[in-house]
Structure formats: structure tokens, C-alpha cells
Amino acid sequence: MTNMIIDTVRFGEVEVEENRVIHFVEPILGFEKSLRYVILDHAEDSPFKWLQSADEPELAFVVTNPKFFGIDYEFELSDDLAGRLTLEAAEDALVVTIVNIPQEDPGKMTTNLLGPVVINQKLRKAMQIVLTDTGYSTKARLIPDDILQQTTGSSSSAASRASSEKGE
């Protein structure tokens, strides 16, 4: 395997195997200069990961699988989109959503359920799609207020760490 060095603002130089690079068939909305990303762990056993651009050192998104937070999240991918990603089986798809962590109150983090990132894990091809007619939101709360109030702060402290590392 050939390795490559990715220069990042948050993590410094990161060495990854070239076969871990994800190639976007279309850029993430608003980030047209970045088409290559890698997924980096946030912390051991964390529901969060980083979608780090291999093209722009300062660009990284906190991502998660909404099911980690008890969100029933399902949608159908059109044949056209599945074809663009060369997806042949549902189990080859990895779906993550981009998380927004407010610096002033990390416990009120949200995730964009209308614009998931779908990754063909076999071929390392990806794209952000825009869902329609689903009832999902661009700002779905990951931790409901009633749950947040019951916790001893462990969830918000993890979110705070993610927020401070994100630099927001």
C-alpha cells in the first residue's frame, strides 16, 4: 500500500493509506475546491468522526451516523444517484451526516438530515445528496432537551471537546 501525507490545520500532518481517500463525484455544497477526503477518528468510542479534506488543510467536518443518537433515519437512494456512486448493494453504502456544534452551547448540536453524505465503501466514491419530501431537517437535534437535562454533563463535555477541537 502506498501512503500519502495530508496536511491539516487541526491534526497537523496525517499519514494515510491512499486507498482510504474518498473521492467525491460532486463537491460538498459550498466547498467546490475539495473533492478528496479521509475519515479520521475523533476519539476512541466516539460517535463522531472527522471528514477531513485532503485538498484544503483547514476544511474538516464533524460527521456522525444519526442512529448512534437514536434517530430513525432511512431514505431511498434513486437509481441515478446509486449509479453515480456505482453502488450495487445497500450494505456497501456508508451514510454520515454533517454535525454543527454551537460553541456557546455544545449540547444543542444539530445534524443535517436533509444533506447526508453517502459513501461507496468499496470504491471510495461519495457525494452529498439533498433529500426531498422526507420531513427531515437541516438542524435535527442530536440530544433532545429532556435527555440533555438528565445527563451529568458527559454528553455535553464530549461535545465541548469536539467543539473546541473544531475551532468554533
Side-chain angles (χ1 to χ4, degrees):
M1 296 281 153
T2 306
N3 288 351
M4 65 183 285
I5 302 292
I6 297 174
D7 186 30
T8 75
V9 168
R10 285 172 188 79
F11 309 106
E13 288 187 347
V14 177
E15 185 174 354
V16 297
E17 293 177 0
E18 282 188 10
N19 66 354
R20 286 188 50 207
V21 176
I22 300 164
H23 299 271
F24 275 66
V25 297
E26 283 185 16
I28 292 176
L29 297 173
F31 300 93
E32 287 72 24
K33 293 180 183 175
S34 289
L35 291 173
R36 300 177 312 140
Y37 290 83
V38 292
I39 293 179
L40 302 174
D41 290 330
H42 170 68
E44 193 173 321
D45 297 327
S46 174
F48 302 105
K49 304 264 185 212
W50 290 90
L51 186 62
Q52 171 67 54
S53 171
D55 300 316
E56 295 182 71
E58 66 281 355
L59 182 59
F61 300 96
V62 176
V63 296
T64 194
N65 180 335
K67 292 183 179 190
F68 287 136
F69 294 88
I71 297 173
D72 185 25
Y73 187 57
E74 292 184 9
F75 58 87
E76 286 193 32
L77 205 56
S78 72
D79 290 341
D80 176 56
L81 291 175
R84 293 181 68 197
L85 291 171
T86 323
L87 272 170
E88 296 177 357
E91 56 270 8
D92 293 340
L94 171 66
V95 176
V96 295
T97 57
I98 296 174
V99 177
N100 179 19
I101 304 173
Q103 184 176 8
E104 67 281 357
D105 192 353
K108 293 194 177 188
M109 70 182 95
T110 61
T111 196
N112 181 354
L113 298 179
L114 277 182
V117 173
V118 180
I119 303 167
N120 179 330
Q121 297 180 97
K122 278 186 170 179
L123 300 177
R124 310 302 287 172
K125 292 169 80 172
M127 70 184 294
Q128 182 181 34
I129 64 170
V130 178
L131 301 175
T132 57
D133 302 321
T134 62
Y136 292 130
S137 166
T138 58
K139 294 185 180 195
R141 287 284 299 273
L142 287 175
I143 305 172
D145 282 333
D146 57 334
I147 304 268
L148 192 60
Q149 292 169 358
Q150 293 173 12
T151 64
T152 59
S154 61
S155 293
S156 63
S157 66
S160 179
R161 284 193 304 274
S163 177
S164 66
E165 290 178 19
K166 186 176 175 185
E168 290 187 348

